[in-house]
Amino acid sequence: MSESEAALARAVLIHGPLSRRELTTRLGLSPASLTRLAKPLLDSGLIVELDDVADGSIGRPSRPLDIADGLGAFVGIKLTGDRLYAVGTDIRAEPLAWDERPLDDRSPEAVIAEVIAAVHALDVPDLVGVGVSLGGLVQDGAVRRAPFLEWGEVDLRGRLERALELPVAIENDVVALAEAERWFGAGTGLPGFVIVTVGAGVGYGLVVDGVVVRTPDAAVGTGGHLPLDPYGPVCSDGHRGCAQAMLTTGSITAQVGAALGRVVTYGETLEFARRGEPAARAVVDAAADALGRMIALAANLSLQPAVVLAGEGVALFEVTEARVRAAIAAGRDPQAQPIDIHVDDSGFRGWARGAAAVAIQAAMARMHAPR
Ligand SMILES: [Zn+2]
């Protein structure tokens, strides 16, 4: 599928049904170009032409275009180090059913068995594709390295496809989430944005001109070890005050737990900070400053003024918004565009829908492959 055809298919998928006039405006096409681009998509059955609608206007009937019915359902699964989150969706990534289960055993055999069990438990009719996302380096469907699962090389796509007898797409979790945010989430309609996730890890992704950047480094998580605070704690790689050390839920709760002499949860930590408990306040304020610095750096160097904040630890921003914004302002040229922050607080469900989005895109490419 050419990029122009893909853009047309995507517009119809996300926003359809759309009249030809709406499509030419949205995509900046002439009516003749739209007709040329739509023809192979109509021929392949991916999109359909609906009956004329009387919209009151004079002239040619609009014959709106929509995605075809009956293209099946999808499952998206996000793997973390200790849990699996699954969603069944239609082709527009609208959720139909949810499932989640613990991963008590992180071995590839045990995790693959849980993925298969989750797909069966969701029981969505007419399942045509599965997407799985995880933190780590993924290439051509194979996992090269997944630190949270403590995996080295695992042919995850091959093993799941053989077991499920369905096409499976595997993607880095931040890349998949960026895809979902761009498509139907907090980044919808933005030409480009930076995505920063905070949670068990710190993720960084980039969307430029409507396309998710997918270089090998996008899956390494190169934003995770940005130096943010020379006085911060040390990460597992030995960096003082890097993004992981300052912003992961594990590091924040460990620091507060050490100060209070007992184990605390992330929710408790944020609540203590909100109430002004001094140790929690100090740790959370330092995290807020680091988050603001990271957002300003990301926006400055990517030349993108929009930021999507996501991940299961994103409540940090809600508790410390004024402080984060002050740190952003301190790190930003006053003449630069104001930074527009979009928060996705859907947590693990958002990650699972991201995995479904990857499965849907793979299916669309398959349905429209040259025959
Ligand atoms: Zn580090």
Side-chain angles (χ1 to χ4, degrees):
M1 196 178 324
S2 73
E3 189 41 51
S4 311
E5 284 172 25
L8 171 57
R10 206 155 51 222
V12 173
L13 177 64
I14 301 168
H15 306 289
L18 288 172
S19 70
R20 287 173 182 261
R21 186 178 309 149
E22 287 168 313
L23 277 164
T24 51
T25 307
R26 187 178 282 274
L27 298 170
L29 297 169
S30 67
S33 302
L34 176 64
T35 301
R36 180 174 53 77
L37 289 172
K39 184 166 189 318
L41 297 170
L42 288 162
D43 289 348
S44 71
L46 189 58
I47 64 176
V48 292
E49 214 164 22
L50 302 183
D51 288 339
D52 294 351
V53 272
D55 62 359
S57 63
I58 297 169
R60 291 174 59 184
S62 66
R63 304 278 295 167
L65 299 178
D66 201 0
I67 208 80
D69 275 335
L71 293 179
F74 297 83
V75 166
I77 293 179
K78 151 80 168 170
L79 299 175
T80 74
D82 57 9
R83 222 169 165 74
L84 166 167
Y85 299 85
V87 63
T89 76
D90 65 14
I91 195 165
R92 296 185 199 271
E94 285 301 322
L96 304 170
W98 298 96
D99 187 50
E100 62 175 90
R101 47 190 69 218
L103 297 176
D104 298 324
D105 178 348
R106 291 179 196 160
S107 68
E109 292 66 35
V111 172
I112 286 168
E114 290 297 341
V115 168
I116 293 165
V119 170
H120 291 148
L122 286 168
D123 193 27
V124 286
D126 197 17
L127 180 61
V128 296
V130 174
V132 178
S133 79
L134 71 169
L137 184 55
V138 174
Q139 282 171 334
D140 299 327
V143 178
R144 302 277 178 233
R145 190 165 43 79
F148 295 108
L149 290 164
E150 299 168 341
W151 287 2
E153 290 277 336
V154 177
D155 175 21
L156 189 57
R157 182 173 66 195
R159 291 169 71 168
L160 284 173
E161 284 189 339
R162 281 191 291 279
L164 291 167
E165 298 181 335
L166 280 171
V168 176
I170 312 289
E171 186 56 274
N172 168 265
D173 56 358
V174 179
V175 171
L177 186 63
E179 208 49 89
E181 299 291 5
R182 176 185 69 82
W183 186 2
F184 49 74
T188 310
L190 298 172
F193 59 89
V194 158
I195 177 166
V196 174
T197 68
V198 290
V202 177
Y204 169 72
L206 185 58
V207 175
V208 179
D209 293 337
V211 178
V212 178
V213 172
R214 279 190 152 93
T215 61
D217 283 349
V220 173
T222 50
H225 294 285
L226 280 182
L228 297 175
D229 184 342
Y231 304 107
V234 175
C235 83
S236 58
D237 287 3
H239 310 127
R240 187 164 292 286
C242 77
Q244 301 267 7
M246 298 304 296
L247 293 171
T248 57
T249 51
S251 179
I252 289 172
T253 53
Q255 292 173 69
V256 174
L260 299 181
R262 67 178 181 86
V263 174
V264 292
T265 66
Y266 188 62
E268 281 175 325
T269 296
L270 294 184
E271 182 50 35
F272 292 164
R274 206 193 309 259
R275 295 205 305 249
E277 191 286 318
R281 194 72 249 177
V283 171
V284 169
D285 281 353
D289 293 345
L291 181 59
R293 210 163 291 145
M294 180 166 180
I295 290 171
L297 274 173
N300 291 345
L301 296 177
S302 68
L303 309 179
Q304 302 294 330
V307 175
V308 172
L309 273 181
E312 68 276 15
V314 79
L316 169 68
F317 178 72
E318 285 146 37
V319 176
T320 60
E321 180 169 345
R323 199 163 175 121
V324 174
R325 289 193 186 276
I328 292 173
R332 183 99 170 137
D333 189 318
Q335 294 188 65
Q337 297 179 75
I339 289 181
D340 201 7
I341 298 179
H342 304 260
V343 177
D344 168 9
D345 59 4
S346 64
F348 287 111
R349 292 192 158 195
W351 291 103
R353 275 183 89 199
V358 169
I360 294 165
Q361 288 183 338
M364 287 178 67
R366 271 196 311 279
M367 288 172 206
H368 192 55
R371 274 171 279 188

